[in-house]
């Protein structure tokens, strides 16, 4: 097989006036080959290989089964797809094939070429099975106190069956997008073959010429992990994913009216699974069959799930202020002032943020989607307070401490306060911060509230595991039967020996 570059070389030399014999000498090619490409005027792609069954007299009747296996291979990871040898072995073992391996190998190679180039029989139809569309829609909800908030519904639809799935989130950022898609994949037990999106910034970093897109790193990794193909609408062409846009509005009008009260997003999302299943018990808008029936027909075409789920998060480096705050999305999260001026790494999930310094976990906060809020973890400041015990009541985080400890520390001073703060530091370092109020209350009920009494109460109640165990001797240690006569020592104490 001659490369396209060499074909171009032959044609260019001939156009420049070199004879065919001279081209033959320079290229070391056969004279007939030189003539073919020197005189060629039609440079359209070669015709696709013919894979009609009648062209394979021995293999012909087995071709439908081979096609079925190769089509199903598109749903599974590459490492678990059929090789030509495996197809040959299965034909012999399961179908009684008596032909040779070479004919199977040739057909499989040609068929795969045809599938890749999208030849006749593989042209996309309006709504292929296992093709999906994804979009966000905005809605409002009330919290338990009656305050109004804005949130977003993520909808994924399958136009073939018109089956839809939805989950709601406080934002439409990349973490919410990927977690929502992962939840839907896990719920339905498979992955769409292709998914159509608009040019959302959480997935598309740059719109290039035509259909080319530069994807964001997080979305690209997610796409590779779950093996789906992504299509993106032309700019300002939302009609290209009309099914999901209609579904977003349908869900908002039916599942989110009247305005819902949401105390817990996870709980409400569980309700949405139930709502989506009930909604499938209605006829398809065109086909007449129930959506559920069409979905059961479509579902086996999904790609298989990967062995491991994708962990959705991103990292961001943040410099800590002199007062110990790390700022993310206008919100301030309190860390220890000891990290003043240092750069910490924020591991950002859709619902929480973990802060690390030198690979050590510093703090974990729930992620806030409001603006300009300040959050403090009083446990982060105890070590610094031990050096400045007199500043306790004057710190911003004092009111974030347990009320019982606020009262207790306010009643102490000097060495007693320093001792109490060191005890509180020990409790926090031991990972027992959740029990610090309980320890203080038990100590106070016993009538002893000084720092050392509280410490002993902590050791006896919550640090039982730190008490030393009795020494266990080996079974072969001999038992001593020793009864010494101590009367000789009486003379030293003025006893009977001096009488």
């Amino acid at each position: 097989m001659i490369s396209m570059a060499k074909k171009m070389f032959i044609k260019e030399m001939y156009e420049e006036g070199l004879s065919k014999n001279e081209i033959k000498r320079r290229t070391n090619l056969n004279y007939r080959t030189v003539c073919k490409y020197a005189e060629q005027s039609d440079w359209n792609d070669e015709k696709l290989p013919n894979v009609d069954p009648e062209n394979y007299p021995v293999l012909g009747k087995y071709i439908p089964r081979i096609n079925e296996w190769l089509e199903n291979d598109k749903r599974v990871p590459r490492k678990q797809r059929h090789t030509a040898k495996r197809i040959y072995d299965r034909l012999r073992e399961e179908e009684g094939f008596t032909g040779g391996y070479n004919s199977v190998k040739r057909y499989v190679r040609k068929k795969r070429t045809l599938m890749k180039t999208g030849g006749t029989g593989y042209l996309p139809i309006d709504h292929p099975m296992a093709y999906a569309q994804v979009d966000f829609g905005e809605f409002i909800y009330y919290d338990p106190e009656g305050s109004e908030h804005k949130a977003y519904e993520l909808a994924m639809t399958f136009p073939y069956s018109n089956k839809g799935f939805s989950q709601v989130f406080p934002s439409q950022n990349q973490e919410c997008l990927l977690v929502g898609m992962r939840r839907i994949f896990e719920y339905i037990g498979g992955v769409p073959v292709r998914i159509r999106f608009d040019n959302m910034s959480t997935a598309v970093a740059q719109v290039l010429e035509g259909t080319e897109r530069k994807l964001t790193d997080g979305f690209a990794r997610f796409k590779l992990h779950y093996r789906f193909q992504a299509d993106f609408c032309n700019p300002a062409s939302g009609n290209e994913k009309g099914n999901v846009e209609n579904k977003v509005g349908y869900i908002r009008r039916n599942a989110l009216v009247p305005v819902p009260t949401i105390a817990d997003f996870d709980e409400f999302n569980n309700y949405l699974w139930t709502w989506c299943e009930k909604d499938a018990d209605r006829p398809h808008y065109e086909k007449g069959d129930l959506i559920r029936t069409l979905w059961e027909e479509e579902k086996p075409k999904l790609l298989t799930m990967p062995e491991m789920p994708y962990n959705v998060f991103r990292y961001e480096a943040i410099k800590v202020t002199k007062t110990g705050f790390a700022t993310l999305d206008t919100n301030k999260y309190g860390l220890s002032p000891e990290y003043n001026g240092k750069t910490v790494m924020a591991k950002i999930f859709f619902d929480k943020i973990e802060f690390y310094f030198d690979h050590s976990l510093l703090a974990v906060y729930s992620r806030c989607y409001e603006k300009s809020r300040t959050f403090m973890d009083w446990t982060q400041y105890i070590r610094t307070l031990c050096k400045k015990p007199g500043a306790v009541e004057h710190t911003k985080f004092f009111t974030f401490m347990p009320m019982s400890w606020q009262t207790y520390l306010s009643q102490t001073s000097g060495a007693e306060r320093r001792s109490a703060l060191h005890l509180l530091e020990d409790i926090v370092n031991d990972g027992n911060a959740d029990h610090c109020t309980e320890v203080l209350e038990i100590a106070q009920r016993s009538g002893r509230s000084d720092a050392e009494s509280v410490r002993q109460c902590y050791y006896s109640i919550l640090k039982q595991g730190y008490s030393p165990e009795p020494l266990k001797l080996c079974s072969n240690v001999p038992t001593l039967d020793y009864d010494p006569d101590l009367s000789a020592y009486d003379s030293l104490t003025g006893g009977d020996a001096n009488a």
Side-chain angles (χ1 to χ4, degrees), residues 135-143 147-155 166-172 248-265 268-269 271-272:
D135 200 10
F136 273 110
E138 183 179 311
F139 71 99
I140 62 170
Y141 72 95
Y142 299 129
D143 64 23
S147 298
E148 182 179 299
H149 301 273
K150 182 167 63 177
Y152 300 87
E153 55 160 315
L154 175 71
S166 182
Q167 294 282 273
V168 297
F169 295 92
S171 176
Q172 53 182 343
V248 166
Y250 178 83
I251 293 172
R252 184 164 45 216
R253 292 188 300 271
N254 292 275
L256 303 175
V257 173
V259 176
T261 296
I262 302 179
D264 182 276
F265 273 83
F268 190 80
N269 280 326
Y271 153 75
L272 283 178

Side-chain angles (χ1 to χ4, degrees), residues 156 181-190 192 222 226 305:
M156 178 181 292
M181 292 175 62
R182 185 187 67 190
R183 285 181 180 177
I184 294 173
F185 295 164
E186 292 171 350
Y187 180 77
I188 65 179
F222 183 85
Y226 286 101
M305 292 286 287

Side-chain angles (χ1 to χ4, degrees), residues 92-346:
R92 289 176 61 87
E93 295 169 4
E94 302 173 19
E95 307 295 331
F97 178 64
T98 58
Y101 169 67
N102 285 337
S103 62
V104 175
K105 182 180 178 180
R106 285 195 304 272
Y107 176 78
V108 170
R109 183 170 60 247
K110 292 180 179 180
K111 185 65 176 179
R112 282 177 173 157
T113 300
L114 181 62
M115 292 170 66
K116 288 179 181 178
T117 55
T120 304
Y122 293 89
L123 294 175
I125 59 176
D126 288 340
H127 297 308
M129 289 188 184
Y131 278 39
Q133 298 177 6
V134 166
D135 200 10
F136 273 110
E138 183 179 311
F139 71 99
I140 62 170
Y141 72 95
Y142 299 129
D143 64 23
E145 286 71 40
S147 298
E148 182 179 299
H149 301 273
K150 182 167 63 177
Y152 300 87
E153 55 160 315
L154 175 71
M156 178 181 292
T157 62
F158 291 82
Y160 174 83
S161 61
N162 199 31
K163 187 73 167 75
F165 301 92
S166 182
Q167 294 282 273
V168 297
F169 295 92
S171 176
Q172 53 182 343
N173 58 31
Q174 184 178 94
E175 292 77 48
C176 293
L177 169 67
L178 301 186
V179 167
M181 292 175 62
R182 185 187 67 190
R183 285 181 180 177
I184 294 173
F185 295 164
E186 292 171 350
Y187 180 77
I188 65 179
V191 179
V193 175
R194 301 186 78 93
I195 306 177
R196 179 170 287 276
F197 305 83
D198 59 20
N199 296 288
M200 52 181 65
S201 60
T202 52
V204 178
Q206 184 179 2
V207 178
L208 304 177
E209 185 177 355
T211 60
E212 294 297 315
R213 301 290 186 272
K214 180 180 179 181
L215 304 181
T216 60
D217 183 70
F219 183 85
R221 290 176 180 274
F222 183 85
K223 172 179 172 290
L224 290 171
H225 187 85
Y226 286 101
R227 310 187 331 275
F228 64 86
Q229 297 297 313
D231 296 326
F232 296 93
C233 299
N234 290 311
S237 300
N239 60 295
E240 294 178 2
K241 55 178 180 57
N243 186 265
V244 70
E245 292 204 345
N246 290 334
K247 186 70 73 175
V248 166
Y250 178 83
I251 293 172
R252 184 164 45 216
R253 292 188 300 271
N254 292 275
L256 303 175
V257 173
V259 176
T261 296
I262 302 179
D264 182 276
F265 273 83
D266 288 338
E267 182 179 335
F268 190 80
N269 280 326
N270 286 332
Y271 153 75
L272 283 178
W273 294 137
T274 303
W275 185 90
C276 291
E277 292 304 327
K278 289 182 178 178
D279 183 65
D281 291 322
R282 61 187 177 93
H284 187 279
Y285 61 93
E286 282 185 345
K287 301 176 182 178
D289 294 329
L290 291 179
I291 292 175
R292 182 179 306 281
T293 302
L294 295 171
W295 171 241
E296 291 303 320
E297 178 186 351
E298 181 177 16
K299 190 175 178 180
K301 303 296 184 180
L302 297 172
L303 302 175
T304 57
M305 292 286 287
E307 294 182 3
M308 297 291 292
Y310 185 84
N311 196 9
V312 178
F313 64 87
R314 63 182 173 90
Y315 284 112
E316 185 172 326
I318 303 176
K319 189 174 183 179
V320 180
T321 65
K322 63 181 181 180
T323 52
F325 286 100
T327 302
L328 179 68
D329 298 332
T330 75
N331 293 313
K332 296 180 179 180
Y333 299 90
L335 305 178
S336 173
E338 294 179 339
Y339 299 101
N340 166 32
K342 293 183 172 62
T343 299
V344 297
M345 190 63 66

